[in-house]
Amino acid sequence: MKTKTIALMAMMIAFIIVLGFIPGIPLGFIPVPIILQNMGIMLAGALLGSKRGFLCVAIFLVMAALGLPVLSGGHGNITVFMGPTAGYLFSYPFAAFLVGLVTEKCDKANAFLEFLLIWLAGALFIDVVGAVGLTIQSHVPLHQALMTSLAFIPGDTIKVLIVTLIHRRFKNSSFLQA
């Protein structure tokens, strides 16, 4: 791997960690808060591409598993991968990969199509896999977990809009070409 690639990935990991400094918003009816880190996950895929985005997010999750306080709220240890947020966390590298894939394959897409594809590959994917994980971990019926995940859609849609705008601004930047 080139030094520039490693530096870009390190900067993206740092950005994801910084997003975790912003406290999550607890909802009360679901044990998963609204956080900003999933925006960083989608941005990693959009800016770094599928393979580097996946690797970047996987490294971030390894850091969390090792106990570094990198997750939203300053959490980080192996037990978070067994709690109610486990499905969301496990979806992260795959969401980064999928977002990277759609932004690579649809390079000439108009802004709305790019937004829609990032929304499907990022936000919706994370929310659905997270709901499945919540069903497995908390024994909540799947339809109920999916319904409660609808609370994330408005905020996730705004996050996808921000990711799309940032990606469209920087996608042809020589800075990101490694």
Side-chain angles (χ1 to χ4, degrees):
M1 228 185 281
K2 293 182 181 179
T3 305
K4 186 174 181 180
T5 301
I6 294 169
L8 286 171
M9 290 173 61
M11 286 186 344
M12 187 55 64
I13 292 169
F15 181 70
I16 295 169
I17 293 169
V18 167
L19 288 174
F21 291 157
I22 300 165
I25 301 169
L27 295 175
F29 58 88
I30 183 173
V32 180
I34 295 173
I35 61 166
L36 287 179
Q37 280 187 313
N38 56 352
M39 182 175 70
I41 302 304
M42 293 182 280
L43 195 58
L47 294 179
L48 298 176
S50 57
K51 293 175 187 165
R52 292 185 295 166
F54 178 93
L55 183 58
C56 173
V57 175
I59 291 169
F60 166 74
L61 291 177
V62 167
M63 292 169 66
L66 292 174
L68 297 172
V70 297
L71 295 172
S72 185
H75 302 322
N77 61 49
I78 196 73
T79 60
V80 297
F81 294 96
M82 296 172 236
T85 60
Y88 296 92
L89 295 173
F90 284 121
S91 73
Y92 282 178
F94 300 101
F97 179 84
L98 291 171
V99 169
L101 195 63
V102 299
T103 55
E104 291 165 355
K105 299 295 182 194
C106 300
D107 191 36
K108 305 288 187 226
N110 66 38
F112 178 74
L113 179 60
E114 185 174 328
F115 166 82
L116 181 62
L117 292 172
I118 293 172
W119 188 83
L120 291 169
L124 190 63
F125 179 79
I126 291 170
D127 289 342
V128 169
V129 174
V132 170
L134 188 61
T135 295
I136 293 168
Q137 192 280 334
S138 299
H139 308 290
V140 174
L142 181 59
H143 70 279
Q144 185 179 350
L146 288 169
M147 291 301 290
T148 56
S149 287
L150 290 176
F152 298 123
I153 296 298
D156 287 347
T157 301
I158 294 168
K159 294 173 203 173
V160 170
L161 178 62
I162 293 168
V163 168
T164 303
L165 292 172
I166 292 172
H167 176 256
R168 292 188 72 77
R169 171 65 178 91
F170 291 104
K171 71 179 175 181
N172 295 321
S173 170
S174 62
F175 177 73
L176 293 175
Q177 308 307 317

